[in-house]
Amino acid sequence: MSDTPLELSRFIAGFWRLCDWQYTTQQTLSLIEHYLERGVTSMDHADIYGQQQCEVQFGQALALKPHLRDKMQLISKCGIKPAFDHTPKRYVNHYDTSAAHIISSAEHSLRALQTDHLDLLLIHRPDPLMNADEVAQAFTQLQQQGKVLNFGVSNFTPAQFELLQSRFNSKLVTNQVELSPLNMSTLEDGTLDQAQRLDCPPMAWSCLGGGELLSGQSAQAKRLQSCLSHIAEQHGTDDISQIVYAWVLALPCKPHPIIGSGKQQRIDMAVASEHIQLDRQQWFSIWQAAKGHSVP
């Protein structure tokens, strides 16, 4: 096990739609290389993505150039058990954070990704039946075996985060949460305050609201599109997604936005947004457009 602290790239490559893109193994490899060339070295997966096939497809691509493994950080998540067609014994979607499932899921991801270790493993969703001692036991075993180097959570509240941390001797290194102008709940419920206090940068998923910020027709989406377009013009770009990423990057908890795209142009535009600095009035203009009213 490495004693080197985990360092994630500023942006994270998200692969939950990988199977939807219908890429060949070679095309998947080219996508991985493009991300790496743009300095996006952290690759986000989960055991369930693509009905358990996204990690397999990524692993097959990585096997074409195994040396690339040393240039990236592999992230996976576990704890959700969907009732897939190929799992007939599961008749209801549910969570499982038992030690046995965490360990078996991590080992399944290792095989699928064709690697001997994960750089980071997250509990995918809060589980009402989570026994924090049991999760900590599984984490410790995987860490001692060198199968997983670091651990974190996803979609946890501050209280849920604190509970698990109280039972696990190593530091939880991140909380992956939904964050965008369309969903600012983590700005208000203490999640991002906790991240800043603990110096534990969150990973931010769905920054573009699943595309709603780009093409949504709701009153809120239209207000945001107008505001974002105006600010984009001020910064010399016609891509409002860059302004959204700049808005997320401005937060003092130092979030890592996840880019969920397989298109090289979209990746390039997202990465370039790191150089866009919003002033406070621009940032709060986006907040106001999202809320529909001014700050108190």
Side-chain angles (χ1 to χ4, degrees), residues 70-83:
D70 294 334
K71 299 182 179 182
M72 66 178 67
Q73 303 83 47
L74 285 178
I75 304 162
S76 192
K77 299 183 284 295
C78 68
I80 302 178
K81 280 188 170 180

Side-chain angles (χ1 to χ4, degrees), residues 129-149:
L129 301 180
M130 181 185 80
N131 181 316
D133 291 310
E134 192 171 350
V135 175
Q137 173 192 341
F139 282 3
T140 299
Q141 178 177 326
L142 289 166
Q143 192 175 54
Q144 290 176 343
Q145 293 172 339
K147 293 179 179 179
V148 182
L149 305 187

Side-chain angles (χ1 to χ4, degrees), residues 15 26 35 42 47 75 107 137 170 190 246 248 291:
F15 287 92
Q26 183 59 51
Y35 268 118
S42 304
D47 55 355
I75 304 162
E107 291 176 341
Q137 173 192 341
S170 297
V248 172
K291 290 286 191 178

Side-chain angles (χ1 to χ4, degrees), residues 144-160:
Q144 290 176 343
Q145 293 172 339
K147 293 179 179 179
V148 182
L149 305 187
N150 300 275
F151 298 87
V153 297
S154 182
N155 306 298
F156 272 43
T157 67
Q160 291 161 343

Side-chain angles (χ1 to χ4, degrees), residues 33-215:
E33 291 181 311
H34 187 83
Y35 268 118
L36 291 173
E37 289 165 1
R38 298 303 182 274
V40 181
T41 60
S42 304
M43 311 287 169
D44 182 66
H45 297 272
D47 55 355
I48 62 169
Y49 287 168
Q51 297 208 18
Q52 300 178 315
Q53 292 305 301
C54 287
E55 289 184 329
V56 172
Q57 185 172 331
F58 187 98
Q60 291 170 343
L62 187 57
L64 297 179
K65 289 189 177 181
H67 69 278
L68 294 179
R69 174 64 183 93
D70 294 334
K71 299 182 179 182
M72 66 178 67
Q73 303 83 47
L74 285 178
I75 304 162
S76 192
K77 299 183 284 295
C78 68
I80 302 178
K81 280 188 170 180
F84 288 138
D85 291 340
H86 65 275
T87 56
K89 291 184 179 180
R90 296 183 195 168
Y91 59 88
V92 63
N93 295 341
H94 62 285
Y95 301 139
D96 186 348
T97 52
S98 66
H101 178 67
I102 291 170
I103 291 168
S104 65
S105 175
E107 291 176 341
H108 179 274
S109 292
L110 293 176
R111 291 190 297 271
L113 292 166
Q114 302 195 38
T115 185
D116 64 352
H117 72 278
L118 295 172
D119 295 280
L120 176 59
L121 178 67
L122 312 178
I123 300 297
H124 205 157
R125 290 275 178 180
D127 174 13
L129 301 180
M130 181 185 80
N131 181 316
D133 291 310
E134 192 171 350
V135 175
Q137 173 192 341
F139 282 3
T140 299
Q141 178 177 326
L142 289 166
Q143 192 175 54
Q144 290 176 343
Q145 293 172 339
K147 293 179 179 179
V148 182
L149 305 187
N150 300 275
F151 298 87
V153 297
S154 182
N155 306 298
F156 272 43
T157 67
Q160 291 161 343
F161 187 101
E162 294 283 359
L163 168 61
L164 183 54
Q165 184 64 87
S166 74
R167 306 304 172 87
F168 184 47
N169 290 331
S170 297
K171 179 181 178 180
L172 297 174
V173 300
T174 195
N175 187 3
Q176 184 180 126
V177 296
E178 184 174 3
L179 176 58
S180 80
L182 287 170
N183 188 333
M184 300 192 291
S185 59
T186 53
L187 279 166
E188 301 163 346
D189 66 7
T191 298
L192 300 188
D193 300 314
Q194 179 192 58
Q196 186 178 177
R197 177 174 66 83
L198 297 176
D199 192 21
C200 180
M203 297 167 62
W205 63 271
S206 199
C207 295
L208 302 179
E212 179 74 7
L213 275 171
L214 306 180
S215 57

